[in-house]
Amino acid sequence: MRTIGTVVRGVRAPIVREGDNIAELAANAVQEAWREAGITPRDRDIVAVTESVVARAQGNYATLEQIARDVRVKTGGGTVGVAFPILSRNRFSILLRAMAMGCRKIVLLLSYPSDEVGNGLVDWDRLDAAGVNPYSDVLTLEEFREKFGETKHPFTGVDYVSFYSDIITEAGAEAELVFGNRVTALLDYTDAVITCDIHTRKRSKRLLKQAGARVVLGLDDLLTAPVDGSGYNADYGLLGSNKATEEKVKLFPRGCMAVAEELSEQLSRVSGKRIEAMVYGDGAFKDPVGRIWELADPVVSPGYTKGLVGTPNELKLKYLADNDFGDLTGEALRTAIEERIREKGSASLVGSMVSEGTTPRNLTDLIGSLCDLTSGSGDKGTPIVYIQGYFDNYTNE
């Protein structure tokens, strides 16, 4: 029996520049890795490319001035409520600056005790001690400071309350901060709101519209089309964007399904095997110490080939070993389990005790998370990930 199961390799690639054919570049890098590492391609190998280099190759960028103009046109440029931003210097601070450039005043509603992805603003124990209920209580800046004082992020050391307030005023707008978890609280201040939550944005927009807001926008409603020659994303707007320079952001890439298909076609043609491909962003996992969710992109994978659609359909080996075949050992146990795996077919095992504990997450979310952990976000220089044996099971020799 083969002893090696899934193998994941980070693949180094040249520095990607605007105008590069990212599918060709990635395919060439993978072929070089095959030669260097002596890899024999197999059917259903997976190659994945991070969204960052796809967007860079596309030149999908926007300046602060271009974002500010879109904000001004779509909100009227007066007093604008900005709800539920994540606490991030890389992800949101530059967007906040652009919004402030596009209006006269910003009323910033910060969720507490943490933002949507888990960045803490104040500790739960301090909330309890202060008698504050975050589900109902809306605090002014003065009330928040009186109860909790300065609140620095445990990892970055940044007091985001002061940091975001200063960004707004330095951009030339008036700033007012409030704290709460009801998006409609902003309607006490303005009838024009940009809600900046990622995965709860549809609910926030629905609540605002039902409450009579005049202008309701999400980050996915800004930069959905070019502004003065800018990049754009018709599906996600500013969601998934990152700071590129002090004056420019990189947007989430466009047309990723086509990128994945082209990359798959090139590698499948030269290898004679069916190679699956995908574009991946933030993985869907949570840090157990900082309690921060990694998932700040709108989706884990904006593009993938058809072979990556679906969820795992796996049997729990320890359940079989402890229950169905608890009286077997050695070769007899192995043979019995292999036979049960072969018998499972394609019928869904959801709800069956024998699959209990094999959480039915989307394959693209699982594989994208694996890729994100492999490539990292620093200087590894491996924006491409090559995976073998992901779809293997105990029966594969």
Side-chain angles (χ1 to χ4, degrees):
M1 181 176 67
R2 171 159 54 90
T3 57
I4 301 297
T6 302
V7 177
V8 185
R9 298 175 174 94
V11 178
R12 291 180 179 172
I15 301 299
V16 177
R17 293 298 186 190
E18 182 176 346
D20 287 344
N21 183 322
I22 190 62
E24 182 178 327
L25 184 149
N28 290 339
V30 168
Q31 290 175 72
E32 182 60 33
W34 286 346
R35 289 188 289 269
E36 178 185 313
I39 299 169
T40 301
R42 301 199 296 264
D43 282 328
R44 302 204 79 187
D45 285 359
I46 305 165
V47 59
V49 183
T50 180
E51 60 81 21
S52 178
V53 296
V54 177
R56 192 185 307 155
Q58 293 174 344
N60 204 20
Y61 294 89
T63 67
L64 298 190
E65 287 289 350
Q66 290 164 338
I67 298 171
R69 179 176 177 183
D70 209 28
V71 169
R72 191 178 303 113
V73 168
K74 291 177 177 176
T75 66
T79 299
V80 176
V82 174
F84 305 151
I86 63 173
L87 306 179
S88 170
R89 293 169 296 176
N90 173 48
R91 289 281 190 174
F92 188 74
S93 66
I94 193 165
L95 300 183
L96 180 60
R97 184 176 158 208
M99 291 175 191
M101 291 165 58
C103 59
R104 179 181 59 81
K105 177 179 178 179
I106 283 184
V107 182
L108 184 65
L109 175 62
L110 296 177
S111 56
Y112 74 97
S114 66
D115 69 7
E116 180 183 4
V117 297
N119 290 295
L121 193 62
V122 61
D123 187 83
W124 270 102
D125 291 334
R126 296 181 68 187
L127 288 182
D128 293 340
V132 173
N133 183 349
Y135 301 109
S136 59
D137 296 344
V138 178
L139 306 177
T140 65
L141 175 61
E142 293 73 21
E143 291 170 334
F144 184 86
R145 288 299 198 196
E146 180 183 353
K147 294 178 183 297
F148 307 116
E150 187 180 58
T151 55
K152 290 188 176 181
H153 191 282
F155 288 171
T156 65
V158 174
D159 178 355
Y160 278 94
V161 175
S162 296
F163 180 51
Y164 278 180
S165 179
D166 290 345
I167 285 174
I168 296 169
T169 55
E170 288 169 6
E174 183 182 348
E176 184 169 358
L177 273 69
V178 290
F179 303 81
N181 292 293
R182 290 185 292 109
V183 70
T184 52
L186 279 172
L187 299 184
D188 292 337
Y189 302 85
T190 179
D191 60 0
V193 178
I194 302 172
T195 185
C196 301
D197 41 346
I198 305 162
H199 305 290
T200 56
R201 63 188 185 275
K202 291 181 180 179
R203 176 175 185 265
S204 293
K205 286 194 259 190
R206 173 176 57 81
L207 292 173
L208 286 165
K209 290 174 182 177
Q210 290 174 345
R214 176 180 59 88
V215 175
V216 177
L217 300 169
L219 289 179
D220 55 335
D221 298 308
L222 297 169
L223 269 290
T224 54
V227 176
D228 294 336
S230 74
Y232 68 98
N233 190 302
D235 296 317
Y236 299 116
L238 291 175
L239 285 176
S241 62
N242 280 278
K243 180 178 180 179
T245 71
E246 294 300 326
E247 300 295 329
K248 188 166 64 173
V249 301
K250 176 189 64 60
L251 303 176
F252 213 48
R254 307 186 301 268
C256 292
M257 287 294 193
V259 172
E261 289 291 350
E262 183 182 352
L263 177 54
S264 170
E265 192 278 330
Q266 289 196 33
L267 289 175
S268 297
R269 185 179 65 250
V270 298
S271 67
K273 304 296 182 180
R274 172 60 188 178
I275 308 296
E276 305 291 350
M278 67 182 293
V279 177
Y280 68 95
D282 270 354
F285 51 85
K286 185 175 184 177
D287 174 60
V289 177
R291 292 168 289 183
I292 299 171
W293 286 100
E294 178 68 10
L295 189 53
D297 283 329
V299 291
V300 172
S301 175
Y304 42 85
T305 48
K306 292 178 181 178
L308 301 180
V309 175
T311 61
N313 199 45
E314 300 174 347
L315 300 173
K316 199 75 170 178
L317 292 188
K318 65 182 181 182
Y319 180 92
L320 291 174
D322 292 343
N323 291 272
D324 293 26
F325 308 122
D327 58 335
L328 301 179
T329 59
E331 186 63 25
L333 176 59
R334 174 187 165 186
T335 300
I337 288 179
E338 286 183 351
E339 186 61 28
R340 182 64 61 85
I341 292 172
R342 292 190 183 98
E343 290 173 352
K344 72 178 180 180
S346 59
S348 175
L349 296 171
V350 173
S352 170
M353 283 299 295
V354 77
S355 68
E356 190 174 87
T358 57
T359 307
R361 293 169 56 190
N362 287 327
L363 287 168
T364 51
D365 293 340
L366 292 164
I367 297 166
S369 300
L370 175 62
C371 292
D372 192 22
L373 286 166
T374 301
S375 61
S377 57
D379 58 5
K380 292 180 184 293
T382 55
I384 303 165
V385 176
Y386 194 74
I387 305 171
Q388 291 192 296
Y390 189 84
F391 296 104
D392 286 358
N393 60 43
Y394 193 64
T395 68
N396 291 108
E397 298 295 340

